[in-house]
Amino acid sequence: MTAGLIALIVLIVFLFIVAASGVRIVPQARAGVVERLGRYSRTLEPGLTLIVPFIDRVKPLIDLREQVVTFPPQPVITEDNLVVGIDTVIYFTVTDPRAATYEVANPLQAIEQLTVTTLRNVIGGMTLEETLTSRDSVNSQLRAVLDEATGRWGIRVGRVELKSVEPPRTVQEAMEKQMRAERDRRATILTAEGVKQSQILTAEGEKQSAVLRAEGARTAAILKAEGEAKAIETVFNAIHEGAPDQALLQYQYLQTLPQLAQGDANKIWIIPSEFTSAVSSITEQLTGGAKPKKPKGATSMDEIDERARKDAEEAARAAAAATAEAESATSPTVGTPAAPREIPPAPPAPTNS
């Protein structure tokens, strides 16, 4: 191999290396700043580009996507002289790679210091309560100041958020006590309202129940009175339709006398004068006098005579027992006798019209 051929091969390899160094591939959402002989030349767009080897120099690529930066807690004094620690989160985007490269040396540090100073100015004019409840207002003010300052750096601040606001420990304890007292007050109010509503509903229920019971009692009394009136009317009509004679009335009178003699309070029982006449009349009817009218439901005259005889005997026995009891009640060993019980007279004979 001759020396000329070797030199040609070396030249070709050198040209290939030079050509390869002049080719640059920029990824998507990246940008590169080209310096020619130390001065800004142009900004490389995403894709395949060519530069002049040994003359153009490409600085580190700049990310054009939105970036998130979190700053450590910063002590800030509020208007009511309380020191609170505030964490901030900033979302920003590089819009001008040339300005972001040449206008500011350290963009993140510049944004952090600007955020701290602006935050102290904003929070210094607010109380602790306003700081805790006005985060949207604080975020808007911070974003407006930062966006105005970083605009000339080729950076746009999209959002600024207060990540956390931490008041002093003593203030946190006081706030917890206040919150607990407020919740207890609300619970007491709700309990009182519930008891009040329960009592109101109970009173209304008792009122409606009393009204319904009164209406039921009134209706029952009315129906009872109507029933008694109907029964009296039925008995009255039955008596007049049956046309009872003197013997039947005296027979019913004898049946009632034993019931009048019953009871512990009946110390003295006066036998009415009509008792003898009633017994005599029944005896005459049984022995051959006028035969009483056949009661309703009787099967034969023998049964009626037998029933009347038994009732007369029972009435005689009741009269004898009452007389003996009256004699024992009038003895000196017995205290003040009870008032004599009057016996109603025998019913008169009905008049046939």
Side-chain angles (χ1 to χ4, degrees):
M1 183 179 292
T2 62
L5 181 59
I6 294 174
L8 180 60
I9 293 174
V10 171
L11 180 61
I12 293 174
V13 172
F14 176 74
L15 292 176
F16 179 77
I17 294 175
V18 170
S21 63
V23 177
R24 290 287 185 273
I25 298 176
V26 180
Q28 184 67 30
R30 300 289 193 279
V33 176
V34 178
E35 293 181 348
R36 179 168 294 178
L37 300 177
R39 299 183 63 181
Y40 173 77
S41 174
R42 60 194 175 93
T43 301
L44 299 180
E45 300 293 336
L48 179 63
T49 58
L50 299 176
I51 60 174
V52 178
F54 308 109
I55 298 178
D56 295 340
R57 185 173 67 91
V58 180
K59 296 181 72 65
L61 299 179
I62 299 175
D63 195 345
L64 301 179
R65 295 172 297 178
E66 187 174 13
Q67 302 180 44
V68 182
V69 180
T70 302
F71 299 136
Q74 300 295 328
V76 180
I77 301 176
T78 61
E79 186 180 4
D80 47 0
N81 297 325
L82 292 176
V83 180
V84 296
I86 300 178
D87 297 348
T88 54
V89 179
I90 295 180
Y91 300 82
F92 68 93
T93 305
V94 177
T95 58
D96 188 356
R98 176 181 177 278
T101 303
Y102 297 106
E103 295 295 336
V104 60
N106 193 338
L108 294 180
Q109 185 179 2
I111 294 175
E112 179 182 0
Q113 296 302 321
L114 183 60
T115 302
V116 171
T117 56
T118 305
L119 186 62
R120 288 177 178 175
N121 293 333
V122 174
I123 300 299
M126 304 173 63
T127 62
L128 179 61
E129 294 291 337
E130 294 175 350
T131 303
L132 296 175
T133 58
S134 304
R135 292 193 176 189
D136 293 339
S137 176
V138 175
N139 296 339
S140 301
Q141 296 181 37
L142 286 176
R143 180 182 177 280
V145 175
L146 292 177
D147 196 20
E148 181 181 359
T150 58
R152 58 188 181 87
W153 299 341
I155 298 175
R156 183 180 65 84
V157 177
R159 298 180 61 185
V160 179
E161 297 290 341
L162 298 182
K163 186 176 180 181
S164 64
V165 178
E166 298 181 0
R169 184 60 185 174
T170 55
V171 177
Q172 292 183 10
E173 293 177 356
M175 294 172 62
E176 291 176 359
K177 292 180 180 179
Q178 180 181 2
M179 184 181 302
R180 190 179 300 109
E182 180 66 20
R183 290 180 178 177
D184 293 341
R185 184 182 67 85
R186 293 180 180 178
T188 303
I189 293 175
L190 292 178
T191 302
E193 291 180 354
V195 172
K196 174 184 175 182
Q197 189 68 20
S198 176
Q199 293 178 353
I200 292 175
L201 294 178
T202 302
E204 291 181 354
E206 293 178 353
K207 174 184 176 182
Q208 294 179 1
S209 177
V211 171
L212 293 178
R213 284 197 299 269
E215 292 180 354
R218 184 188 66 178
T219 303
I222 293 174
L223 294 178
K224 183 178 179 181
E226 292 179 354
E228 292 178 353
K230 187 67 175 177
I232 293 173
E233 182 181 0
T234 303
V235 172
F236 181 78
N237 294 333
I239 291 175
H240 284 272
E241 290 177 0
D245 54 4
Q246 180 66 22
L248 180 59
L249 293 177
Q250 291 177 351
Y251 173 67
Q252 293 295 331
Y253 177 70
L254 293 177
Q255 286 183 334
T256 307
L257 288 179
Q259 298 178 3
L260 296 177
Q262 295 177 358
D264 298 335
N266 297 332
K267 301 301 181 181
I268 298 176
W269 190 65
I270 301 174
I271 300 176
S273 59
E274 291 85 358
F275 177 75
T276 305
S277 61
V279 173
S280 301
S281 177
I282 292 297
T283 304
E284 293 177 358
Q285 295 291 335
L286 294 176
T287 55
K291 294 184 179 180
K293 188 177 181 180
K294 184 179 180 180
K296 188 176 183 180
T299 57
S300 64
M301 291 302 297
D302 296 336
E303 293 180 359
I304 296 175
D305 295 341
E306 183 66 24
R307 187 183 304 172
R309 188 182 304 105
K310 290 181 179 180
D311 290 340
E313 294 176 355
E314 183 178 357
R317 287 195 298 269
T323 303
E325 186 177 0
E327 292 177 355
S328 62
T330 56
S331 63
T333 58
V334 181
T336 304
R341 187 169 181 178
E342 297 181 359
I343 304 301
T351 57
N352 295 329
S353 58

